[in-house]
Amino acid sequence: MNIIFLTITRITGISERGIYTDLMREFRNEGHQVYIACPTERKYKQNTNLTKVDGVHILSIKTLNIQKTSLIEKGIGTLLLESQFLESIKKYYDNVKFDLVIYSTPPITFTKVIRYIKYKYRATTYLLLKDIFPQNAVDLGMIKENGIIHRYFKNKEKRLYSVSDYIGCMSPANVDYITSHNKTEVGKKAEVNPNSIEPFLKTISNVERIAIRTQYNIPLNDTVFAYGGNLGKPQGIDFLIDILIHNNNKPGTFFLIVGDGTEYLRLKLSIDKLKSKNILLLKNLPKANYDQLLLSCDVGLIFLDKRFTIPNFPSRLLSYLECHLPVIAATDSSTDIGDTIVKNNFGTWCLNGDLSGFNKLIAEYCENIAWRQEMGNNGNNFMMKNYLVQQSYQTIMKHML
């Protein structure tokens, strides 16, 4: 089959690890012809171009900056995406008869592109729902509920669900939410198709662990709590700052934070004021380096703003499970990630903002090494049974038989 994947994630090849590249690699390995359409933002100074890398066709479409940029440019860039993608696909892929269109949120503005391919080639359309917009922006106070902007994007959201033949959701709570809030557009289209990866199944020796910690000046015997990923409004960074302040220079406890986002500078300034010896903030690392560093840590952290009414399910969970790390999730009460973690005994949960509860969990993880190692192993086993890319592939392909 000919498969086209639409995404706003910049992809230069599918040898790199990630939830989308792993899935496209699986389609390629199963003998399908894979075509990708993705942006190359203006900061990369490249014109629209088509290449073939790792056995897949990659159409890099010149756009404005749409990530890690000003809200004005991001807004304009996002609105222009649909026409830019449609024009480029017609020009570079017009001789390809597509059987399946896969696309993810964000954005919700690809409806015309999807409809064009769907009806021209009678292609099946499959949405990987990774973001419920615009409600997430309403929850965080970024746009006014029932205002002009909200109504505009809500209409876009409904059209996207309508044009989708199937909708793969990250968790059961995701399925329930979009089905109950969009009954006409979703109906029985939604199914659980969680974030998934092709795991690297690697461990490190104690000698390697010591070498890695020494490289980054991390104390050898401290319990290291690691956070990796976006540092933005959705994570409720205020709570992370409170945690760091309360645990500043606490003996035996170390916090590693790797990431970037709109809240990075505010977080950095707060950490600088602490003059802490038990906090390390790194502004991104190559994926391979991050994986190695994570293998030397003890506990993974997940944060979500407590105001969310939508059930987010962060993909950073997978990196922790890969590395046999137990997880502390401090989130809103709408997501079911905490229930999943606790029910399957690979971590603990508290409400984002519950500083006393979170600090009690920190103490428990520091004091009980055997307990946290057991939960880390439980998490890895859970991942191997539920979050493999082969399962996501099969979930999509059952609709093509």
Short mmCIF file of all heavy atoms in Angstrom, two decimals, residues 65-110:
data_model
loop_
_atom_site.label_atom_id
_atom_site.label_comp_id
_atom_site.label_asym_id
_atom_site.label_seq_id
_atom_site.Cartn_x
_atom_site.Cartn_y
_atom_site.Cartn_z
N ASN A 65 7.88 29.72 11.16
CA ASN A 65 8.19 29.02 12.40
C ASN A 65 6.88 28.76 13.14
O ASN A 65 6.08 29.67 13.37
CB ASN A 65 9.12 29.86 13.28
CG ASN A 65 10.49 30.03 12.66
OD1 ASN A 65 10.99 29.13 11.99
ND2 ASN A 65 11.10 31.19 12.87
N ILE A 66 6.65 27.52 13.50
CA ILE A 66 5.39 27.15 14.16
C ILE A 66 5.61 26.52 15.53
O ILE A 66 4.66 26.23 16.25
CB ILE A 66 4.57 26.17 13.28
CG1 ILE A 66 5.43 24.98 12.85
CG2 ILE A 66 4.00 26.89 12.08
CD1 ILE A 66 4.68 23.94 12.05
N GLN A 67 6.87 26.32 15.91
CA GLN A 67 7.17 25.79 17.23
C GLN A 67 8.30 26.61 17.85
O GLN A 67 9.22 27.03 17.16
CB GLN A 67 7.56 24.31 17.15
CG GLN A 67 6.44 23.43 16.58
CD GLN A 67 6.78 21.97 16.62
OE1 GLN A 67 6.97 21.39 17.66
NE2 GLN A 67 6.84 21.35 15.44
N LYS A 68 8.19 26.81 19.16
CA LYS A 68 9.20 27.56 19.90
C LYS A 68 9.46 28.92 19.25
O LYS A 68 10.59 29.30 18.95
CB LYS A 68 10.50 26.75 20.02
CG LYS A 68 10.32 25.46 20.78
CD LYS A 68 11.56 24.60 20.78
CE LYS A 68 11.30 23.27 21.48
NZ LYS A 68 12.46 22.36 21.43
N THR A 69 8.36 29.63 19.03
CA THR A 69 8.43 30.96 18.43
C THR A 69 7.36 31.83 19.08
O THR A 69 6.66 31.39 20.00
CB THR A 69 8.23 30.88 16.91
OG1 THR A 69 8.45 32.17 16.34
CG2 THR A 69 6.84 30.40 16.54
N SER A 70 7.21 33.06 18.63
CA SER A 70 6.21 33.96 19.20
C SER A 70 4.80 33.45 18.90
O SER A 70 4.57 32.75 17.91
CB SER A 70 6.38 35.36 18.63
OG SER A 70 6.02 35.39 17.26
N LEU A 71 3.85 33.83 19.75
CA LEU A 71 2.47 33.40 19.54
C LEU A 71 1.91 33.93 18.24
O LEU A 71 1.13 33.26 17.57
CB LEU A 71 1.60 33.88 20.71
CG LEU A 71 1.75 33.12 22.04
CD1 LEU A 71 0.91 33.77 23.12
CD2 LEU A 71 1.35 31.65 21.86
N ILE A 72 2.34 35.13 17.84
CA ILE A 72 1.83 35.72 16.60
C ILE A 72 2.30 34.91 15.39
O ILE A 72 1.50 34.53 14.53
CB ILE A 72 2.29 37.19 16.47
CG1 ILE A 72 1.63 38.05 17.56
CG2 ILE A 72 1.96 37.73 15.08
CD1 ILE A 72 2.10 39.49 17.59
N GLU A 73 3.62 34.63 15.34
CA GLU A 73 4.12 33.85 14.20
C GLU A 73 3.55 32.43 14.21
O GLU A 73 3.21 31.88 13.17
CB GLU A 73 5.65 33.80 14.19
CG GLU A 73 6.18 33.04 12.98
CD GLU A 73 7.69 33.11 12.83
OE1 GLU A 73 8.37 33.47 13.81
OE2 GLU A 73 8.19 32.80 11.73
N LYS A 74 3.47 31.84 15.39
CA LYS A 74 2.91 30.49 15.50
C LYS A 74 1.47 30.47 15.01
O LYS A 74 1.06 29.55 14.28
CB LYS A 74 2.98 30.00 16.94
CG LYS A 74 2.46 28.58 17.14
CD LYS A 74 2.66 28.11 18.57
CE LYS A 74 2.19 26.67 18.73
NZ LYS A 74 2.42 26.16 20.10
N GLY A 75 0.69 31.48 15.39
CA GLY A 75 -0.70 31.53 14.97
C GLY A 75 -0.85 31.67 13.47
O GLY A 75 -1.61 30.93 12.84
N ILE A 76 -0.10 32.62 12.89
CA ILE A 76 -0.17 32.82 11.44
C ILE A 76 0.36 31.60 10.71
O ILE A 76 -0.23 31.14 9.72
CB ILE A 76 0.63 34.08 11.04
CG1 ILE A 76 0.00 35.34 11.66
CG2 ILE A 76 0.70 34.21 9.52
CD1 ILE A 76 0.81 36.61 11.46
N GLY A 77 1.48 31.07 11.20
CA GLY A 77 2.08 29.89 10.57
C GLY A 77 1.15 28.70 10.58
O GLY A 77 1.06 27.95 9.59
N THR A 78 0.44 28.51 11.68
CA THR A 78 -0.49 27.38 11.79
C THR A 78 -1.65 27.54 10.82
O THR A 78 -2.09 26.56 10.20
CB THR A 78 -1.01 27.27 13.24
OG1 THR A 78 0.09 27.05 14.13
CG2 THR A 78 -1.98 26.10 13.37
N LEU A 79 -2.15 28.77 10.67
CA LEU A 79 -3.26 29.01 9.75
C LEU A 79 -2.85 28.78 8.30
O LEU A 79 -3.67 28.37 7.47
CB LEU A 79 -3.79 30.43 9.93
CG LEU A 79 -4.51 30.72 11.26
CD1 LEU A 79 -4.85 32.19 11.35
CD2 LEU A 79 -5.77 29.86 11.39
N LEU A 80 -1.57 29.03 7.98
CA LEU A 80 -1.10 28.87 6.61
C LEU A 80 -0.76 27.42 6.26
O LEU A 80 -0.63 27.07 5.08
CB LEU A 80 0.15 29.73 6.39
CG LEU A 80 -0.06 31.25 6.37
CD1 LEU A 80 1.28 31.96 6.29
CD2 LEU A 80 -0.96 31.66 5.20
N LEU A 81 -0.61 26.58 7.27
CA LEU A 81 -0.15 25.20 7.03
C LEU A 81 -1.02 24.45 6.03
O LEU A 81 -0.50 23.77 5.14
CB LEU A 81 -0.14 24.42 8.36
CG LEU A 81 1.05 24.62 9.29
CD1 LEU A 81 0.83 23.82 10.57
CD2 LEU A 81 2.35 24.19 8.62
N GLU A 82 -2.32 24.55 6.18
CA GLU A 82 -3.22 23.77 5.35
C GLU A 82 -3.01 24.05 3.87
O GLU A 82 -2.86 23.11 3.06
CB GLU A 82 -4.67 24.07 5.75
CG GLU A 82 -5.68 23.15 5.08
CD GLU A 82 -7.05 23.33 5.70
OE1 GLU A 82 -7.54 24.48 5.78
OE2 GLU A 82 -7.66 22.33 6.10
N SER A 83 -2.97 25.33 3.49
CA SER A 83 -2.79 25.66 2.08
C SER A 83 -1.38 25.30 1.61
O SER A 83 -1.20 24.85 0.46
CB SER A 83 -3.05 27.16 1.86
OG SER A 83 -2.17 27.95 2.63
N GLN A 84 -0.37 25.46 2.45
CA GLN A 84 1.00 25.12 2.07
C GLN A 84 1.15 23.63 1.85
O GLN A 84 1.78 23.19 0.87
CB GLN A 84 1.97 25.61 3.16
CG GLN A 84 2.08 27.12 3.25
CD GLN A 84 2.84 27.58 4.49
OE1 GLN A 84 2.86 26.91 5.51
NE2 GLN A 84 3.46 28.75 4.40
N PHE A 85 0.57 22.83 2.73
CA PHE A 85 0.65 21.37 2.58
C PHE A 85 -0.11 20.92 1.34
O PHE A 85 0.37 20.08 0.58
CB PHE A 85 0.09 20.69 3.83
CG PHE A 85 1.12 20.38 4.88
CD1 PHE A 85 1.86 21.39 5.48
CD2 PHE A 85 1.39 19.07 5.25
CE1 PHE A 85 2.81 21.12 6.44
CE2 PHE A 85 2.35 18.77 6.21
CZ PHE A 85 3.07 19.79 6.81
N LEU A 86 -1.31 21.47 1.15
CA LEU A 86 -2.13 21.03 0.01
C LEU A 86 -1.45 21.36 -1.30
O LEU A 86 -1.38 20.52 -2.22
CB LEU A 86 -3.50 21.71 0.09
CG LEU A 86 -4.51 21.30 -0.99
CD1 LEU A 86 -4.74 19.80 -0.99
CD2 LEU A 86 -5.84 22.04 -0.77
N GLU A 87 -0.93 22.56 -1.42
CA GLU A 87 -0.24 22.97 -2.65
C GLU A 87 0.98 22.08 -2.92
O GLU A 87 1.21 21.64 -4.06
CB GLU A 87 0.20 24.42 -2.52
CG GLU A 87 0.94 24.96 -3.74
CD GLU A 87 1.40 26.40 -3.56
OE1 GLU A 87 0.95 27.06 -2.59
OE2 GLU A 87 2.22 26.86 -4.38
N SER A 88 1.76 21.80 -1.90
CA SER A 88 2.98 21.00 -2.08
C SER A 88 2.67 19.54 -2.39
O SER A 88 3.34 18.92 -3.22
CB SER A 88 3.85 21.09 -0.82
OG SER A 88 4.28 22.42 -0.59
N ILE A 89 1.66 18.98 -1.74
CA ILE A 89 1.29 17.59 -2.00
C ILE A 89 0.77 17.44 -3.43
O ILE A 89 1.09 16.46 -4.12
CB ILE A 89 0.24 17.12 -0.97
CG1 ILE A 89 0.92 16.92 0.39
CG2 ILE A 89 -0.44 15.83 -1.42
CD1 ILE A 89 -0.03 16.68 1.53
N LYS A 90 -0.01 18.40 -3.88
CA LYS A 90 -0.49 18.35 -5.27
C LYS A 90 0.68 18.41 -6.25
O LYS A 90 0.67 17.75 -7.30
CB LYS A 90 -1.44 19.52 -5.53
CG LYS A 90 -2.82 19.36 -4.93
CD LYS A 90 -3.69 20.57 -5.28
CE LYS A 90 -5.11 20.39 -4.76
NZ LYS A 90 -5.97 21.55 -5.10
N LYS A 91 1.69 19.18 -5.92
CA LYS A 91 2.83 19.37 -6.83
C LYS A 91 3.78 18.17 -6.82
O LYS A 91 4.21 17.70 -7.89
CB LYS A 91 3.60 20.62 -6.44
CG LYS A 91 4.83 20.90 -7.31
CD LYS A 91 5.52 22.20 -6.91
CE LYS A 91 6.74 22.47 -7.77
NZ LYS A 91 7.42 23.74 -7.39
N TYR A 92 4.10 17.64 -5.65
CA TYR A 92 5.15 16.62 -5.54
C TYR A 92 4.63 15.18 -5.45
O TYR A 92 5.35 14.25 -5.79
CB TYR A 92 6.02 16.91 -4.31
CG TYR A 92 6.88 18.14 -4.45
CD1 TYR A 92 6.42 19.38 -4.02
CD2 TYR A 92 8.16 18.06 -5.02
CE1 TYR A 92 7.21 20.52 -4.14
CE2 TYR A 92 8.96 19.19 -5.14
CZ TYR A 92 8.48 20.42 -4.71
OH TYR A 92 9.26 21.54 -4.82
N TYR A 93 3.39 15.01 -4.99
CA TYR A 93 2.86 13.66 -4.79
C TYR A 93 1.65 13.37 -5.69
O TYR A 93 0.93 12.39 -5.48
CB TYR A 93 2.43 13.46 -3.34
CG TYR A 93 3.57 13.25 -2.35
CD1 TYR A 93 3.36 13.51 -0.99
CD2 TYR A 93 4.82 12.79 -2.74
CE1 TYR A 93 4.37 13.32 -0.05
CE2 TYR A 93 5.84 12.61 -1.82
CZ TYR A 93 5.61 12.87 -0.48
OH TYR A 93 6.62 12.67 0.44
N ASP A 94 1.41 14.21 -6.67
CA ASP A 94 0.17 14.11 -7.44
C ASP A 94 0.06 12.81 -8.24
O ASP A 94 -1.04 12.39 -8.60
CB ASP A 94 0.02 15.31 -8.38
CG ASP A 94 -1.43 15.50 -8.81
OD1 ASP A 94 -2.31 15.44 -7.94
OD2 ASP A 94 -1.67 15.69 -10.02
N ASN A 95 1.18 12.16 -8.50
CA ASN A 95 1.14 10.91 -9.28
C ASN A 95 1.09 9.67 -8.40
O ASN A 95 1.20 8.55 -8.89
CB ASN A 95 2.36 10.83 -10.21
CG ASN A 95 3.67 10.79 -9.42
OD1 ASN A 95 3.71 11.23 -8.27
ND2 ASN A 95 4.72 10.27 -10.05
N VAL A 96 0.92 9.86 -7.09
CA VAL A 96 0.88 8.73 -6.17
C VAL A 96 -0.56 8.47 -5.73
O VAL A 96 -1.25 9.38 -5.26
CB VAL A 96 1.75 9.00 -4.91
CG1 VAL A 96 1.73 7.77 -4.00
CG2 VAL A 96 3.16 9.37 -5.30
N LYS A 97 -1.02 7.24 -5.89
CA LYS A 97 -2.37 6.88 -5.45
C LYS A 97 -2.29 6.35 -4.01
O LYS A 97 -1.82 5.25 -3.77
CB LYS A 97 -2.97 5.81 -6.36
CG LYS A 97 -4.41 5.45 -6.02
CD LYS A 97 -4.94 4.34 -6.91
CE LYS A 97 -6.41 4.07 -6.59
NZ LYS A 97 -6.63 3.71 -5.18
N PHE A 98 -2.76 7.16 -3.09
CA PHE A 98 -2.65 6.81 -1.68
C PHE A 98 -3.82 5.93 -1.24
O PHE A 98 -4.97 6.16 -1.61
CB PHE A 98 -2.60 8.06 -0.81
CG PHE A 98 -1.34 8.87 -1.01
CD1 PHE A 98 -1.39 10.12 -1.61
CD2 PHE A 98 -0.11 8.38 -0.61
CE1 PHE A 98 -0.24 10.86 -1.80
CE2 PHE A 98 1.05 9.11 -0.80
CZ PHE A 98 0.99 10.36 -1.39
N ASP A 99 -3.47 4.92 -0.44
CA ASP A 99 -4.49 4.02 0.12
C ASP A 99 -4.87 4.40 1.55
O ASP A 99 -5.99 4.14 1.99
CB ASP A 99 -3.96 2.58 0.13
CG ASP A 99 -3.54 2.11 -1.25
OD1 ASP A 99 -4.44 1.90 -2.08
OD2 ASP A 99 -2.33 1.98 -1.49
N LEU A 100 -3.93 5.02 2.25
CA LEU A 100 -4.15 5.32 3.67
C LEU A 100 -3.50 6.66 4.00
O LEU A 100 -2.35 6.91 3.64
CB LEU A 100 -3.54 4.21 4.53
CG LEU A 100 -3.50 4.40 6.04
CD1 LEU A 100 -4.91 4.49 6.62
CD2 LEU A 100 -2.72 3.27 6.71
N VAL A 101 -4.25 7.51 4.70
CA VAL A 101 -3.72 8.79 5.19
C VAL A 101 -3.69 8.72 6.71
O VAL A 101 -4.72 8.49 7.35
CB VAL A 101 -4.59 9.99 4.78
CG1 VAL A 101 -3.86 11.30 5.08
CG2 VAL A 101 -4.98 9.90 3.32
N ILE A 102 -2.51 8.92 7.28
CA ILE A 102 -2.37 8.97 8.74
C ILE A 102 -1.92 10.38 9.10
O ILE A 102 -1.06 10.96 8.43
CB ILE A 102 -1.32 7.93 9.23
CG1 ILE A 102 -1.72 6.52 8.79
CG2 ILE A 102 -1.19 7.99 10.76
CD1 ILE A 102 -0.67 5.47 9.12
N TYR A 103 -2.48 10.92 10.16
CA TYR A 103 -2.14 12.29 10.56
C TYR A 103 -2.37 12.40 12.07
O TYR A 103 -3.10 11.60 12.67
CB TYR A 103 -3.00 13.32 9.80
CG TYR A 103 -4.44 12.92 9.68
CD1 TYR A 103 -5.41 13.41 10.56
CD2 TYR A 103 -4.84 12.00 8.70
CE1 TYR A 103 -6.72 13.02 10.45
CE2 TYR A 103 -6.16 11.59 8.60
CZ TYR A 103 -7.10 12.10 9.47
OH TYR A 103 -8.41 11.70 9.38
N SER A 104 -1.72 13.37 12.66
CA SER A 104 -1.81 13.50 14.11
C SER A 104 -2.21 14.93 14.49
O SER A 104 -2.07 15.86 13.71
CB SER A 104 -0.46 13.18 14.75
OG SER A 104 0.55 14.08 14.30
N THR A 105 -2.73 15.07 15.69
CA THR A 105 -2.93 16.40 16.26
C THR A 105 -1.87 16.64 17.31
O THR A 105 -1.51 15.71 18.04
CB THR A 105 -4.31 16.53 16.93
OG1 THR A 105 -4.47 15.49 17.91
CG2 THR A 105 -5.42 16.45 15.92
N PRO A 106 -1.36 17.89 17.42
CA PRO A 106 -1.69 19.02 16.58
C PRO A 106 -1.08 18.91 15.19
O PRO A 106 -0.13 18.15 15.05
CB PRO A 106 -1.07 20.19 17.36
CG PRO A 106 0.10 19.60 18.07
CD PRO A 106 -0.35 18.22 18.45
N PRO A 107 -1.62 19.68 14.20
CA PRO A 107 -2.68 20.67 14.31
C PRO A 107 -4.04 20.06 13.99
O PRO A 107 -4.13 18.87 13.64
CB PRO A 107 -2.28 21.69 13.25
CG PRO A 107 -1.74 20.83 12.16
CD PRO A 107 -1.03 19.70 12.84
N ILE A 108 -5.08 20.89 14.04
CA ILE A 108 -6.43 20.44 13.64
C ILE A 108 -6.83 21.09 12.32
O ILE A 108 -8.00 21.09 11.96
CB ILE A 108 -7.47 20.77 14.73
CG1 ILE A 108 -7.52 22.28 14.99
CG2 ILE A 108 -7.18 19.99 16.00
CD1 ILE A 108 -8.68 22.71 15.87
N THR A 109 -5.85 21.62 11.60
CA THR A 109 -6.15 22.44 10.41
C THR A 109 -5.77 21.76 9.10
O THR A 109 -5.53 22.43 8.10
CB THR A 109 -5.41 23.78 10.52
OG1 THR A 109 -4.01 23.54 10.74
CG2 THR A 109 -5.95 24.61 11.66
N PHE A 110 -5.74 20.43 9.08
CA PHE A 110 -5.37 19.71 7.85
C PHE A 110 -6.59 19.16 7.11
O PHE A 110 -6.44 18.35 6.20
CB PHE A 110 -4.45 18.53 8.19
CG PHE A 110 -2.99 18.92 8.34
CD1 PHE A 110 -2.12 18.10 9.03
CD2 PHE A 110 -2.50 20.08 7.78
CE1 PHE A 110 -0.78 18.43 9.17
CE2 PHE A 110 -1.16 20.43 7.90
CZ PHE A 110 -0.30 19.60 8.61
#
